[in-house]
Amino acid sequence: MTGTGDHEDAATYGATAQAAIRRPGRWWGRKGTAAKVESYTRISFHLFPVAQLVTALLSLTPVPARSALPVAGALLVHVALGLRLTGQALDWVAGRRARPRRLLYAYMACGFAGAAIAALVLVKLPDDPPATYYTACVGTYVLFLAFSCGLGVLALRTHRQSLVAVAVATFGGWLLGSALLPAPAAAALALSTLLSAGGLTLASRFSIWLLQAVYELDEARHTRARLAVAEERLRFGRDLHDVLGRNLSVIALKSELAVQLARRERPEAVEQMAEVQRIAQESQREVREVVRGYREADLYTELLGARGVLSAAGITCTVTGTPTGLPRPVQAALAWVVREAVTNVLRHGNAAHCRITLTVVPAGPRAEGRPAVAELTVENDGVPSASDGSSGGHGLAGLRERLAAEQGTLEAGPAGKSAFRLVARVPVPADEVAEAGVPGETAERARQELE
């Protein structure tokens, strides 16, 4: 008979097992594009020493154990150094640590030492050994030289150094072949060494170049996004400068004039100070208008800006629908939704596509007296671990408060395995849908570009 504690233990074990099964996907999904390419490159290069170990051990199977043990020992040391060199060299490529010079020299020296041991084993074989002995020792010799070049190139600075390493390995293959094998066999050994060492070196160099290119593109994407934000800040600063620059200059001049008049006890000083007060109040009103226009931008401008910012960040953005005829308060509320949604797309996940849809759903013939509903939907991919928006951060909570002031609602949550959807609905009375026009020249230009 099973007790309650056993049921709880079974449930806990099941939840832990399910979490362990889902964890690899979440670990991979949370990575950005550059991090994914780096992880793929690391895994690929860590498989190189493993492939060398498996291939060499299978090749040494026909060789007697007494002769194969020294080669196998050097092989294990070489593989261990190769695994360590791979991690440190890729960290150096990513700019996280200094170049592992000592480890590189140790790895290359161990590789050439292992090749020398394989050559000595080949020399000390019986006078008439089987052909498989020759094949095993020669194959292991080539593997030592090829992988020493293929992985050692990760920590080399220039292409010339890589060519020198391949040339030394090829010369070593020719030297062994000319000493122990006939001329055709020696040439074949040198050619196989050149092809294997050169092929691995070329593949490693290309992988490093690709990884560096991905790093640069990722940095460029973030730079473009920062520039887009900086451009918006400059626009806001330029507007403030246009508003305050002239007025502050006039205030300074009139204040100086009022001081001079007051020192001479002239009654005109009072008039000048009254004028200063009037200009200061006018400046305060104009600044409030600028800030209000920035904080409560119309929906046309926000949709156009969202498409521009997302495109600058490398995210394909599709905007469907225009807010023609929506009242100003509804546009202001939905504009805040667009801003917050775009900010979340840029900050969270690794989105490649974003779709913004604006529709006005009529109340219908049977719903007399009920208002129409303006519905804004923002959906993006690249969010594998999206959680329900009801427990979101302060941004979504602030949006719900703003929409509540207009009797609107907000829904946010996952839409499939790797998508997140945010839906805002604001009621629009039927008699107000066609009342409001597009405010301002900037909004008019935005409407034309958006359409």
Side-chain angles (χ1 to χ4, degrees):
M1 186 172 180
T2 306
T4 306
D6 295 333
H7 287 294
E8 294 177 353
D9 292 340
T12 303
Y13 176 80
T16 305
Q18 291 179 1
I21 293 174
R22 291 193 299 264
R23 192 175 296 117
R26 292 183 177 180
W27 168 79
W28 181 260
R30 284 195 297 266
K31 290 180 175 292
T33 302
K36 288 180 179 179
V37 174
E38 180 183 349
S39 299
Y40 172 77
T41 305
R42 285 182 179 274
I43 294 173
S44 301
F45 278 119
H46 277 93
L47 290 178
F48 275 25
V50 177
Q52 177 192 4
L53 177 63
V54 174
T55 305
L57 291 180
L58 292 177
S59 300
L60 290 174
T61 303
V63 180
R66 182 177 299 179
S67 301
L69 283 178
V71 182
L75 178 66
L76 292 176
V77 175
H78 193 241
V79 168
L81 290 175
L83 291 172
R84 186 171 180 81
L85 176 65
T86 298
Q88 294 190 9
L90 290 177
D91 287 339
W92 169 64
V93 171
R96 303 190 187 103
R97 62 172 301 140
R99 187 165 72 105
R101 295 182 179 179
R102 295 182 179 179
L103 186 58
L104 170 64
Y105 299 150
Y107 179 73
M108 298 288 283
C110 181
F112 284 100
I117 293 174
L120 290 176
V121 170
L122 183 61
V123 171
K124 293 183 178 181
L125 286 176
D127 295 336
D128 190 17
T132 53
Y133 287 14
Y134 274 108
T135 303
C137 292
V138 169
T140 307
Y141 179 89
V142 173
L143 286 175
F144 271 113
L145 297 179
F147 279 93
S148 296
C149 295
L151 289 182
V153 74
L154 297 178
L156 295 179
R157 293 185 182 274
T158 63
H159 299 296
R160 183 177 299 178
Q161 294 175 345
S162 304
L163 293 176
V164 170
V166 174
V168 171
T170 305
F171 176 75
W174 174 82
L175 189 64
L176 177 66
S178 61
L180 301 177
L181 302 173
L189 178 59
L191 181 61
S192 63
T193 305
L194 174 63
L195 293 178
S196 57
L200 287 176
T201 300
L202 182 62
S204 299
R205 273 292 176 186
F206 179 77
S207 298
I208 293 301
W209 171 82
L210 180 63
L211 183 59
Q212 291 174 339
V214 171
Y215 283 144
E216 293 176 359
L217 290 175
D218 188 65
E219 180 63 25
R221 190 186 72 170
H222 289 295
T223 301
R224 290 176 61 185
R226 289 194 295 269
L227 288 176
V229 175
E231 183 179 357
E232 178 64 17
R233 291 176 178 174
L234 287 176
R235 183 194 67 80
F236 181 63
R238 184 171 60 250
D239 292 344
L240 282 180
H241 177 270
D242 294 341
V243 169
L244 293 178
R246 179 182 59 83
N247 291 347
L248 290 177
S249 299
V250 174
I251 288 174
L253 291 175
K254 287 187 173 294
S255 299
E256 183 179 357
L257 178 59
V259 170
Q260 297 296 332
L261 293 174
R263 287 176 178 175
R264 298 175 184 176
E265 298 183 356
R266 298 284 297 274
E268 291 87 350
V270 178
E271 298 179 1
Q272 295 297 327
M273 290 307 300
E275 183 69 12
V276 167
Q277 182 181 14
R278 186 192 66 79
I279 296 175
Q281 292 174 349
E282 181 69 15
S283 299
Q284 186 178 20
R285 182 187 62 79
E286 291 179 353
V287 169
R288 286 175 179 173
E289 289 181 357
V290 171
V291 174
R292 186 181 299 111
Y294 178 75
R295 293 171 60 89
E296 298 181 3
D298 62 276
L299 194 50
Y300 284 110
T301 306
E302 287 303 319
L303 291 174
L304 183 62
R307 189 168 63 182
V309 171
L310 292 176
S311 299
I315 302 173
T316 303
C317 180
T318 303
V319 179
T320 305
T322 57
T324 303
L326 290 180
R328 182 67 178 271
V330 176
Q331 289 198 35
L334 295 180
W336 272 102
V337 176
V338 174
R339 285 185 183 179
E340 182 66 25
V342 171
T343 302
N344 290 337
V345 171
L346 292 174
R347 289 181 177 177
H348 309 296
N350 185 34
H353 302 278
C354 179
R355 184 171 66 253
I356 303 176
T357 305
L358 176 64
T359 58
V360 178
V361 182
R366 297 183 179 180
E368 296 182 359
R370 294 181 58 184
V373 176
E375 182 176 290
L376 177 71
T377 303
V378 181
E379 183 174 346
N380 64 280
D381 59 358
V383 190
S385 56
S387 59
D388 186 85
S390 59
S391 59
H394 299 290
L396 295 183
L399 287 182
R400 288 190 173 90
E401 293 177 0
R402 291 180 179 274
L403 292 176
E406 302 294 333
Q407 288 76 46
T409 60
L410 180 71
E411 297 177 3
K417 289 185 177 180
S418 60
F420 189 85
R421 181 185 296 125
L422 185 146
V423 181
R425 298 182 179 89
V426 180
V428 183
D431 55 348
E432 295 185 12
V433 172
E435 285 184 4
V438 181
E441 296 179 359
T442 303
E444 177 63 25
R445 291 195 301 269
R447 182 187 65 81
Q448 295 175 359
E449 295 183 25
L450 195 61
E451 294 177 346

